[in-house]
Amino acid sequence: MCNPSGNQLDNVSRRNSARMLKQEFLKKWIMGLQICSASKKEMSILERKKAIKLSADLAMASTKNGTTNWSLALISNASKENDNKTLVDQMLGNHHSEKISTKRPSIVSIFRNKRVATCRGKKILKKRGGIRRAKKMASSATSIAKRLVKKRTQVLKRLVPGGEYMDELNLMEETLDYILSLRAQVDVMRHFANATPKFES
Amino acid sequence: MSSRRSRSRQSGGGSSTISDDQIADLVSKLQQLIPELHSRRSDKVSASKVLQETCNYIRNLHREVDDLSDRLSELLASTDANSAQAAIIRSLLM
């Protein structure tokens, strides 16, 4: 951490990868929007908003090419709803299901069979009564800190797609990547929103 | 994070053990990503604080995506979206 030129190189490569991510996202998002508008000419504002948001989310997830769990979970969630199926297939191509089968099979089979609920938490509580109580007596400060971390980790699990099925380490890694993707998504959407002139129909 | 216990905390089904160091490393990386905590730059931010700010940050990003989708759905209300998109792609990728 005390190598300035190393840090500079890191920053440059970070910026480059961020830019590439945004370009990738933009291309896929535009494609998704075109698919939506081609399939349904007249859309209410709400339908349009859902289409925009769904295309954006799918575009963001598809830039990952199945290399992360959060993107697989996002796509899996989206395809569980019938309305979305055609868009998912057309945006990701029929080979997206192949990609899913090659990555992390244990988690993947969960995605296939269940609806991965990202907003509703299914808390899995581990009860180890005796040991826990003894530890609590021993150092209450550390255990309070640990409980807080545990609680916050549960919240994080619900925010990251597929988080509930990840172990602590995986969750942290996925969160880092998810945040970078979300940032890219927001940046591009914001530029788009600021750049688009208002059309009078 | 002084304990060197590298026993896995979760019942991860035979996965590799998770060391405290690995998690601490990821927590510090998260700390650098989140604007709220970025300015502090000290190692003194607790893991629970980092997690809390991470959750807030993700929630904010979700909300922004939602708001932007609202804005865009109003802006793109016309069926003439293709030409607008073409112009924007050009301006954004230049």
Side-chain angles (χ1 to χ4, degrees):
Chain A
M1 279 293 174
C2 33
N3 181 3
S5 56
N7 256 346
Q8 280 169 10
L9 283 172
D10 276 344
N11 283 335
V12 170
S13 70
R14 233 175 282 157
R15 253 178 280 141
N16 281 340
S17 67
R19 192 159 36 100
M20 276 172 23
L21 185 60
K22 288 187 207 178
Q23 287 178 347
E24 216 21 62
F25 165 74
L26 181 60
K27 266 190 277 177
K28 299 198 165 166
W29 185 37
I30 297 287
M31 183 178 75
L33 290 173
Q34 288 173 337
I35 294 171
C36 287
S37 61
S39 64
K40 204 170 181 195
K41 286 294 174 186
E42 294 292 325
M43 280 198 261
S44 69
I45 289 208
L46 190 60
E47 285 175 319
R48 192 175 304 273
K49 181 224 170 141
K50 281 189 192 166
I52 289 172
K53 185 153 188 248
L54 181 64
S55 317
D57 284 342
L58 289 175
M60 179 177 71
S62 91
T63 62
K64 291 285 134 186
N65 286 318
T67 55
T68 57
N69 286 323
W70 70 259
S71 56
L72 293 173
L74 196 154
I75 293 167
S76 167
N77 267 344
S79 9
K80 292 285 179 352
E81 287 182 41
N82 278 319
D83 291 342
N84 302 339
K85 275 198 177 134
T86 23
L87 182 62
V88 173
D89 283 337
Q90 288 186 319
M91 272 187 80
L92 298 164
N94 291 323
H95 49 269
H96 81 260
S97 46
E98 286 166 27
K99 283 176 187 159
I100 289 181
S101 62
T102 56
K103 293 291 171 189
R104 306 195 199 226
S106 57
I107 293 187
V108 158
S109 62
I110 295 172
F111 291 165
R112 275 239 177 82
N113 301 324
K114 290 202 228 193
R115 180 169 209 279
V116 178
T118 53
C119 297
R120 287 176 260 130
K122 233 203 264 186
K123 284 193 190 153
I124 303 167
L125 295 172
K126 283 197 302 184
K127 302 230 164 180
R128 280 196 219 152
I131 303 172
R132 245 187 138 61
R133 229 169 280 134
K135 282 192 183 163
K136 222 189 270 188
M137 303 297 177
S139 55
S140 52
T142 350
S143 71
I144 288 174
K146 278 189 186 165
R147 254 185 295 149
L148 208 52
V149 168
K150 188 88 186 171
K151 194 171 87 161
R152 303 243 159 99
T153 305
Q154 297 298 342
V155 176
L156 184 60
K157 281 188 173 189
R158 274 177 253 143
L159 287 172
V160 175
E164 296 166 307
Y165 300 98
M166 300 174 193
D167 62 39
E168 213 168 273
L169 189 64
N170 193 213
L171 177 68
M172 302 296 258
E173 292 170 331
E174 296 271 338
T175 302
L176 281 167
D177 192 74
Y178 185 51
I179 287 181
L180 288 173
S181 294
L182 273 178
R183 284 222 288 226
Q185 183 189 34
V186 166
D187 279 346
V188 172
M189 289 178 82
R190 201 188 296 129
H191 275 117
F192 205 115
N194 291 336
T196 312
K198 194 163 180 154
F199 282 105
E200 309 291 331
S201 56
Chain B
M1 296 278 183
S2 52
S3 71
R4 279 322 212 108
R5 242 181 292 149
S6 50
R7 219 179 18 179
S8 172
R9 291 204 190 107
Q10 255 74 3
S11 55
S15 60
S16 59
T17 56
I18 302 169
S19 76
D20 285 345
D21 287 342
Q22 285 177 290
I23 301 210
D25 180 49
L26 289 170
V27 170
S28 76
K29 286 199 176 120
L30 263 180
Q31 185 182 337
Q32 288 169 35
L33 261 190
I34 296 164
E36 284 286 308
L37 305 169
H38 197 51
S39 46
R40 295 202 206 168
R41 204 93 52 165
S42 69
D43 290 328
K44 297 217 180 95
V45 184
S46 67
S48 72
K49 180 81 177 163
V50 172
L51 283 172
Q52 184 186 29
E53 292 303 328
T54 304
C55 293
N56 289 339
Y57 190 44
I58 293 181
R59 266 191 285 250
N60 285 337
L61 288 171
H62 283 166
R63 204 181 316 130
E64 267 209 80
V65 169
D66 206 66
D67 289 345
L68 286 166
S69 302
D70 271 327
R71 263 180 76 191
L72 284 167
S73 64
E74 289 166 23
L75 288 171
L76 291 175
S78 85
T79 53
D80 196 18
N82 279 327
S83 58
Q85 287 161 2
I88 288 154
I89 296 169
R90 257 179 267 124
S91 68
L92 282 172
L93 296 177
M94 277 302 176

